[in-house]
Amino acid sequence: MISILLAGAVSMALTLLGTRLAINLLSKRGYGQEIRDDGPTSHHTKRGTPTMGGTVFIIATIVGYFVAKLFTGKAPSLSALLVLFLFAGMGAVGFLDDFIKIFRQRSLGLRSKAKLAGQTVVAVAFAILALQFPDVRGQTPASPFISFIRDISWLQLAPVLVVIWILLLIAGMSNGVNLADGLDGLATGASMMVFGAYTLICIWQSNQSCLTAPGIKCYEVRDPLDLAVVAAALTGALFGFLWWNASPAKIFMGDTGSLSLGGAVAGFAVMTRTELLVLLLGGLFVIITASVILQVGWFKITKRTGGVGKRMFRMAPLQHHFEMLGWEQVNVVIRFWIISGLCVATGLGLFYAEWVAQ
């Protein structure tokens, strides 16, 4: 428990102090955000705000985790290292995307195929590695079964299909967080709630691990306590970053941050055997992604059938629809945080209810 608290405290302190330094450095170098011309006009005032702030909480999370390990004298676990690899790897893809946006002074960075290729390489590497290295009990960090709150015994997949399934989870969640990162503090606050939930889930799984507390209701999860340390470090880092990212934002996380956070969410889902539950825990990201799919799908259908494409929302992703209706940005963010909190609370409730139900 000391390592969990220490990781969270160190990472939060680093982002509180480090983000201020990053704002100054990025501003001096002119690394500012480019804004879409077709977006809400209120966003044009944000042009030039420093971006790539995700770099700060990526570094803070990694440092916070390893400081906790050094303090307790315990070696890092493979599960934790794999989640950090996915977290940092997706962040590297986002960093390249952000850098190209700044260098070329336009709102589009990597081409979609190149961006998808980078995400795929990192995700596939994570999936393959997570299916290796069995422990003395033959348990690998990832499972060949699709999971909800634990592995679903009749949904075992072949290794190739497991890799594809994990790839889809990572791509979906990373792009979901990326789409949510359109308003000051929205993705930061929502992600913070999800990682806070995973801190609790991992602690519970550690207390009821089949390795130390065998029984009918125990959890077959590798290194749950060490995963809790990573989750706590992420939660603390986002707390510190939100201080500067809340409206009016002094810095944006950029794709560096949003892709890394989405990858980490999916990584925790895989490692904790909660792959379907994450769709509820990260329900806000699912809703926002669905709004984009519906918008594009409805436009294509109506154009094909009637000759003129129609839009379901005034603008997608969904948060911009409410901005176009006249809602203040702060109101949209707070109300979406409430939705995220309800999703997380419901997910945690289901997780615990499965334990107590007979």
Side-chain angles (χ1 to χ4, degrees):
M1 187 59 71
I2 293 176
S3 59
I4 293 172
L5 296 174
L6 183 60
V10 169
S11 60
M12 182 172 67
L14 287 175
T15 48
L16 274 172
L17 299 174
T19 305
R20 175 71 268 180
L21 297 176
I23 292 170
N24 293 336
L25 177 63
L26 293 169
S27 296
K28 288 179 181 178
R29 293 180 176 272
Y31 288 177
Q33 177 72 41
E34 292 298 317
I35 304 298
R36 290 168 50 186
D37 293 328
D38 59 344
T41 56
S42 61
H43 288 204
H44 291 170
T45 58
K46 300 179 182 181
R47 191 183 303 273
T49 301
T51 187
M52 295 194 294
T55 307
V56 180
F57 61 69
I58 290 174
I59 294 172
T61 299
I62 294 172
V63 172
Y65 171 77
F66 281 104
V67 167
K69 292 282 96 181
L70 287 171
F71 183 82
T72 57
K74 295 181 179 179
S77 69
L78 180 62
S79 299
L81 292 177
L82 283 172
V83 171
L84 289 174
F85 162 76
L86 179 60
F87 176 56
M90 297 297 285
V93 175
F95 181 87
L96 183 59
D97 187 43
D98 286 333
F99 186 79
I100 291 174
K101 290 177 186 176
I102 294 167
F103 183 75
R104 295 183 178 177
Q105 293 293 297
R106 62 192 183 100
S107 61
L108 298 176
L110 281 173
R111 297 188 182 278
S112 57
K113 290 183 179 179
K115 191 173 181 179
L116 182 60
Q119 292 175 290
T120 300
V121 169
V122 175
V124 169
F126 167 81
I128 292 174
L129 290 171
L131 290 170
Q132 310 302 317
F133 312 107
D135 61 9
V136 293
R137 300 167 64 239
Q139 190 176 58
T140 55
S143 168
F145 295 89
I146 292 177
S147 58
F148 176 46
I149 294 173
R150 57 184 80 236
D151 286 341
I152 302 172
S153 59
W154 50 274
L155 281 180
Q156 184 174 9
L157 302 176
V160 173
L161 294 179
V162 175
V163 172
I164 294 173
W165 167 242
I166 293 175
L167 170 62
L168 291 174
L169 274 178
I170 294 170
M173 198 54 67
S174 61
N175 287 302
V177 178
N178 184 246
L179 290 170
D181 183 35
L183 299 181
D184 297 353
L186 177 56
T188 305
S191 298
M192 189 171 63
M193 295 181 203
V194 176
F195 291 121
Y198 269 116
T199 303
L200 297 176
I201 286 172
C202 291
I203 290 172
W204 181 260
Q205 288 179 332
S206 175
N207 291 337
Q208 309 297 333
S209 171
C210 292
L211 182 63
T212 57
I216 297 175
K217 288 287 187 175
C218 66
Y219 296 96
E220 289 284 1
V221 175
R222 274 275 296 270
D223 315 307
L225 191 60
D226 211 29
L227 288 171
V229 177
V230 179
L234 269 161
T235 306
L238 292 178
F239 260 112
F241 185 74
L242 186 59
W243 181 272
W244 303 103
N245 185 231
S247 182
K250 301 296 188 297
I251 189 171
F252 299 137
M253 69 170 68
D255 283 9
T256 306
S258 59
L259 293 185
S260 66
L261 293 177
V265 170
F268 275 105
V270 171
M271 295 301 188
T272 60
R273 315 298 197 256
T274 55
E275 294 162 354
L276 297 180
L277 184 65
V278 78
L279 300 179
L280 182 54
L281 292 171
L284 179 66
F285 306 133
V286 175
I287 292 169
I288 288 174
T289 302
S291 72
V292 175
I293 295 172
L294 289 171
Q295 181 87 320
V296 174
W298 183 244
F299 185 86
K300 289 183 177 179
I301 290 171
T302 53
K303 186 174 184 179
R304 188 175 300 153
T305 56
V308 179
K310 297 181 179 180
R311 290 175 171 81
M312 185 174 293
F313 307 103
R314 291 197 177 187
M315 186 177 180
L318 188 61
Q319 63 268 29
H320 298 317
H321 167 76
F322 290 102
E323 278 194 287
M324 300 295 280
L325 289 177
W327 289 24
E328 292 292 333
Q329 181 181 161
V330 173
N331 289 338
V332 178
V333 171
I334 291 174
R335 288 166 183 170
F336 274 45
W337 278 352
I338 292 171
I339 293 171
S340 181
L342 289 172
C343 290
V344 167
T346 304
L348 285 173
L350 284 176
F351 179 82
Y352 182 69
E354 188 273 342
W355 170 264
V356 298
Q358 296 293 333

